[in-house]
Amino acid sequence: MSTDALKRLNKYISDTGLCSRREADKLIEQNRVTINDKLPELGTKVGPGDVVKVDGKAVRAVAKDKSDRVYIVYNKPIGITCTTERHVRGNIVDAIGHKQRIFPVGRLDKPSEGLIILTSDGDIVNKILRAENAHDKEYEVTVNQPISERFLKKMAGGVPILGTVTKPCVVTPCGKFKFRIILTQGLNRQIRRMCEFLGYEVTKLKRTRIMHLELDNLKPGKWRNLTSKELDRLNNAVRHSSKTAK
C-alpha cells in the first residue's frame, strides 16, 4: 500500500467532523477508538479499507470531493455564544439546530452580530483562521461619540493592544457615529479594544463579510448553505494557505 494513501488516525477522525485532532487523541488514549476492531496506538495510520470506530460506531472518511461536508453562513444575533459546548445557554449549535455536527470558523463575541461560517470540514478551518493568510473580514461599527479624523487615522494605522500593534487596515466613515473596518487579523475583541484605547466605546458591532461571502439579505438568526460557486471560490482562496502557524 502506498504511504500516500495512509492518514494519521487523529486526522482521519477530525476530518470526519467528529472532533478536533486533540480531542481525537484523547479518545484514542481512552481506548474508545478501534481500527478493524483492534485498539490502536497514538500515531497509527489508517488506510483504504480500514474500519474506524468510535465508541463502537463506524466513522466515515471524508469524500475526496468533500461533497459530504456542510458549509453554511449564519447571521448570528446578539446574545448567541460561538461555542460548541452544549451546556452553555444560547450556544450557536443549538441556535442553528443543524442535523449534522458543525462548528464555527472563528467567533463573534456574544454582544456582536453578523456573518459567521460554520462547517463540518475540519481541514478548512485553520486555513481561514490564520492571520498570515490575509483573508479579510468587514465590519460595521457604531461608537458612542462622533468620529474624528484622528480616530480614523489611528484605527487605520495600527493600535497597541494585547502586547502588539494591530496591522494597518482600511477604515471608512459612514456616519457621524459609524464606520466600516476591514481586518485581516482576528485578535480577541480586537475592534472593541482598538476603540477603547482611543477613548471610544463600541455600541454596535456587525460583521457583514468574510472574504467573498456576504450577509446580503440574510436575516438575524437565519442561515443558508454556501452555493457551489461560493464554495469553489472559498476552496480556491485557501488552496495555498498554511494550515499551521508559520
Side-chain angles (χ1 to χ4, degrees):
M1 183 188 299
S2 168
T3 55
D4 292 338
L6 300 175
K7 183 182 288 188
R8 287 179 67 91
L9 179 57
N10 61 354
K11 177 170 171 52
Y12 179 96
I13 294 171
S14 71
D15 283 353
T16 68
L18 182 69
C19 61
S20 68
R21 290 195 202 187
R22 185 176 297 178
E23 290 168 334
D25 283 336
K26 290 179 181 178
L27 293 175
I28 297 165
E29 290 171 348
Q30 294 165 359
N31 293 331
R32 294 169 61 186
V33 179
T34 60
I35 300 178
N36 303 327
D37 295 322
K38 294 180 180 179
L39 292 174
E41 297 177 356
L42 285 174
T44 297
K45 293 189 175 181
V46 181
D50 286 335
V51 177
V52 177
K53 294 181 181 179
V54 176
D55 294 331
K57 295 182 180 179
V59 291
R60 293 188 302 121
V62 60
K64 282 190 175 181
D65 62 358
K66 296 188 176 181
S67 58
D68 57 344
R69 301 297 87 176
V70 173
Y71 306 87
I72 70 172
V73 289
Y74 173 56
N75 189 349
K76 186 191 91 66
I78 295 169
I80 297 299
T81 303
C82 291
T83 179
T84 57
E85 299 293 330
R86 305 296 287 274
H87 66 272
V88 175
R89 188 175 181 181
N91 70 79
I92 196 168
V93 177
D94 286 341
I96 292 174
H98 202 281
K99 62 182 180 181
Q100 287 188 238
R101 184 184 183 278
I102 55 175
F103 38 89
V105 181
R107 65 189 304 275
L108 277 171
D109 58 17
K110 192 173 181 178
S112 301
E113 61 183 312
L115 190 152
I116 188 163
I117 304 169
L118 293 99
T119 181
S120 62
D121 180 3
D123 190 46
I124 206 170
V125 175
N126 284 339
K127 289 183 177 182
I128 297 174
L129 291 181
R130 293 299 175 188
E132 62 263 34
N133 293 327
H135 302 316
D136 54 338
K137 300 174 287 291
E138 185 169 352
Y139 302 80
E140 289 179 356
V141 188
T142 305
V143 289
N144 64 334
Q145 56 182 302
I147 295 166
S148 67
E149 285 294 329
R150 175 184 175 276
F151 171 81
L152 294 172
K153 187 175 180 180
K154 291 281 189 181
M155 287 287 287
V159 176
I161 61 169
L162 298 172
T164 187
V165 177
T166 58
K167 291 183 177 181
C169 58
V170 177
V171 184
T172 309
C174 51
K176 188 175 181 181
F177 299 87
K178 192 174 180 180
F179 64 93
R180 291 180 180 272
I181 183 169
I182 301 173
L183 300 180
T184 56
Q185 279 179 297
L187 300 177
N188 182 251
R189 297 172 66 87
Q190 179 171 344
I191 295 172
R192 294 181 188 276
R193 292 179 191 273
M194 291 170 73
C195 290
E196 284 169 9
F197 180 84
L198 297 172
Y200 286 71
E201 180 184 342
V202 172
T203 58
K204 186 175 182 181
L205 194 155
K206 180 180 182 179
R207 183 157 65 197
T208 57
R209 179 174 64 84
I210 299 176
M211 300 159 67
H212 60 284
L213 301 172
E214 301 190 51
L215 271 183
D216 294 325
N217 297 319
L218 194 63
K219 295 181 179 179
K222 299 297 183 181
W223 61 269
R224 65 170 178 81
N225 293 304
L226 267 64
T227 65
S228 57
K229 186 176 181 180
E230 286 174 331
L231 185 54
D232 285 343
R233 283 190 65 185
L234 181 62
N235 281 318
N236 285 331
V238 301
R239 190 178 303 280
H240 302 295
S241 294
S242 169
K243 286 184 283 185
T244 55
K246 295 180 181 176

